[in-house]
Amino acid sequence: MVAPLSAWPWENFGRFKYLLYGPFLAKVVRSRFQEDGPEDSNWCLHILIICALRGLIHQLWSSYSNMLFLKRNRRIVHQGVDFKQIDMEWDWDNFIILQALIASIACYIFPFLENLPLWNTKGFIALLTLHMAVSEPLYYWMHRCFHGNHLFTHYHYLHHSSPVPQPFTAGNATLLEHLVLTGIIGIPILGASLMGYGSISMIYAYVLIFDFLRCLGHCNVEVVPYQIFETIPFLRYLIYTPTYHSLHHQDMRTNFCLFMPLFDSFWKTLNGKSWELHKKISSNLGKSARVPDFVFLAHVVDVSAALHAPFVFRSFAAMPFSTNLLLIPLWPGTLSVVLMMWAWSKTFVYSFYQLRGRLHQTWVVPRCGFQYFLPFASEGINKHIEQAILRADKLGVKVISLAALNKNEALNGGGTLFVNNHPNLKVRVVHGNTLTAAVILNDLPKDVEEVFLTGATSKLGRAIALYLCRRRVRVLMLTTSGERFQKVQKEAPMDCQSNLVQVTKHQAARNCKTWIVGKWITPRQQSWAPRGTHFHQFVVPPILPIRRDCIYSDLAAMRLPDDVQELGCCEIMMKD
């Protein structure tokens, strides 16, 4: 049986839970279009703005927390966030809806809240006093109570079930816990207002700073310099750090405070490792990051795929890739970032996971797919790839795999350029052409008799063509170079060479229903395919799926084994 107040009333609503904001929005809209609109519409607007800002604070902290390239050496828990934790924290923002509803009730109970001034200095003093004298000790003891056997088992366990603290973990709790937390937040606000010192700016500041500090404590990155506490020692008792709260998740008998370790010190629950561990992580003393066993060197496919990164929207990255129309307004800003990366960024760590005791990392060359087709960009791209290979070699990485366009034949000979320039490399430089070919071939119908192949003389196209011709499949190889075609044809057995046919135009495949696309084709070129054609592809970026009467396969990919650990990205945005 579910414990009372442990479930959310709208937990089965899915995305429709956001319709609970509808009455607030309706009042605001009505007041703007009607002169006799409701008088309390201003507070409805303030509630909506505060809710939006609270969501933004959590999102920005989440983005920062997942930027491994900025802070991986200051991560507190080195474990990765997996799908299980992401699913568990999916509805982290339930508390924002709850507190919006309670705030609206408070406005009806206390009408004077509708007429607060914009600023009142005394209100901030009263607020801070009530927070330190009431909210902090009340939270401390309520938190300790929730660690009792019954309350922890039925309520607080949910918050502690996340193995890696994240900003969204701060909001991941039961209804009862957030009702208590709402009261703790409300006491200073309501108290200062009842004294006659309330103000709009006070409410905004307190609620947003409250959320900011809770995200800080759960961000899993030590951002507070230890030098501050060495300069002002008593300050360490007035404000906690991510390391401090992380110790509470590791040792649940200590560090119960809200934001002020003073109360843990006073009631003898302060973890003795708090200051030492904070200094160690903040200064990186004695820490050396684990060297990955395998590195996948990828690149950005396009603007839409860039928004699929876990440090943009974690929930979106955990879902199968698709173009989300709601994210289209973000495209101009994302394109600006991509162009700025072109000018200033270096190859960076994007994500990681564990597989059977081995650490796998994805590094990203800061280039987008279209940039690989600009002749003047080739030198810069190769420089980034070469530096990444040399860095991996210096670190002691065993294998680095070049993904997608990073292994382009015209760019660097499939990686041979770097191996020839640095013959003493210890790291193995590989590409996934063999595996990619295997995936595509496995996806073809067993009874296929004829295929049309673009990108036919590339390394991957060559491998596919040679395999199919041995299976007595007729391969229409699109290439204008007779010399390159003949070179591939001569590699086939004599009795199979006739199965390889050179064609120079897409029109030659107008009766072929199996197209393998290794070189980008335009919508006009696609129009030559007959109805019912199946487009298999290994081209980056993927072709536009404009034909409703045809089938488009995704880019070639392989499923990871079930025992993979710490994986939180459903699909890597830089596919092979």
Side-chain angles (χ1 to χ4, degrees), residues 319-338:
M319 299 290 289
F321 176 77
S322 63
T323 301
N324 193 322
L325 297 180
L326 295 176
L327 298 181
I328 290 179
L330 300 178
W331 285 14
T334 305
L335 179 60
S336 300
V337 172
V338 169

Side-chain angles (χ1 to χ4, degrees), residues 179-243:
L179 285 171
V180 172
L181 191 62
T182 301
I184 290 170
I185 296 174
I187 288 172
I189 294 175
L190 189 58
S193 298
L194 288 171
M195 292 177 190
Y197 303 140
S199 67
I200 295 174
S201 56
M202 178 195 75
I203 296 175
Y204 270 81
Y206 184 68
V207 173
L208 298 181
I209 291 173
F210 195 98
D211 278 6
F212 181 90
L213 291 177
R214 277 179 56 80
C215 289
L216 168 72
H218 290 87
C219 72
N220 195 38
V221 185
E222 190 46 77
V223 296
V224 181
Y226 75 93
Q227 293 90 343
I228 294 178
F229 295 150
E230 290 192 344
T231 304
I232 312 173
F234 188 70
L235 189 61
R236 59 167 57 102
Y237 294 100
L238 300 181
I239 186 69
Y240 75 166
T241 66
T243 302

Side-chain angles (χ1 to χ4, degrees), residues 312-457:
V312 180
F313 296 108
R314 191 182 75 171
S315 58
F316 185 46
M319 299 290 289
F321 176 77
S322 63
T323 301
N324 193 322
L325 297 180
L326 295 176
L327 298 181
I328 290 179
L330 300 178
W331 285 14
T334 305
L335 179 60
S336 300
V337 172
V338 169
L339 295 177
M340 286 190 289
M341 288 170 58
W342 192 356
W344 294 297
S345 184
K346 299 179 180 179
T347 299
F348 58 90
V349 179
Y350 171 80
S351 64
F352 71 94
Y353 62 88
Q354 302 270 358
L355 182 61
R356 298 170 187 173
R358 293 180 173 85
L359 177 61
H360 296 236
Q361 285 186 352
T362 297
W363 296 0
V364 176
V365 173
R367 295 293 184 270
C368 205
F370 73 90
Q371 294 168 316
Y372 284 75
F373 300 98
L374 303 176
F376 59 84
S378 299
E379 183 178 350
I381 292 172
N382 277 333
K383 183 178 180 181
H384 277 288
I385 297 172
E386 184 175 37
Q387 289 175 344
I389 292 173
L390 294 176
R391 176 186 168 198
D393 188 60
K394 183 178 179 180
L395 289 174
V397 176
K398 296 181 177 65
V399 178
I400 183 168
S401 176
L402 306 184
L405 296 176
N406 286 335
K407 63 187 178 191
N408 187 288
E409 187 74 20
L411 182 68
N412 50 47
T416 55
L417 172 67
F418 312 114
V419 176
N420 293 336
N421 288 346
H422 304 279
N424 297 322
L425 286 174
K426 296 179 182 179
V427 63
R428 293 186 62 185
V429 182
V430 302
H431 55 65
N433 282 349
T434 304
L435 290 175
T436 304
V439 172
I440 292 174
L441 292 168
N442 185 65
D443 197 36
L444 296 177
K446 301 300 180 184
D447 58 350
V448 64
E449 296 181 353
E450 183 181 65
V451 302
F452 175 61
L453 178 63
T454 72
T457 58

